[in-house]
Amino acid sequence: ITMRGSASDNVGVVRVGWSSNIYSGGVAEGTNDWSVTVPLITGTNRVTVRAFDAAGNAASRTITVTKR
């Protein structure tokens, strides 16, 4: 699945990464506007995207995707 989103922060977003309940993850392309292709397995996949700012703070969102 290809996921796209945006992240912003008063200090500046320096990295956006992803992980799932199956895969250890990786780094998305871009920071403020980002995209990533996440491999899925058949069944339930929980994907977390986490944005990091220059001060080391992080925020995340998790979605559940079901592949049939």
Side-chain angles (χ1 to χ4, degrees), residues 7-14 32 51-59:
S8 63
D9 184 82
N10 64 330
V11 179
V13 177
V14 295
N32 293 338
F52 299 88
D53 71 8
N57 301 308

Side-chain angles (χ1 to χ4, degrees), residues 17-65:
W18 70 273
S19 62
S20 75
N21 60 313
I22 305 301
Y23 298 101
S24 60
V27 177
E29 288 187 35
T31 52
N32 293 338
D33 293 312
W34 56 266
S35 68
V36 63
T37 300
V38 177
L40 301 176
I41 62 164
T42 301
T44 302
N45 298 263
R46 287 184 312 279
V47 181
T48 300
V49 175
R50 186 169 279 112
F52 299 88
D53 71 8
N57 301 308
S60 65
R61 295 292 183 266
T62 301
I63 64 165
T64 300
V65 180

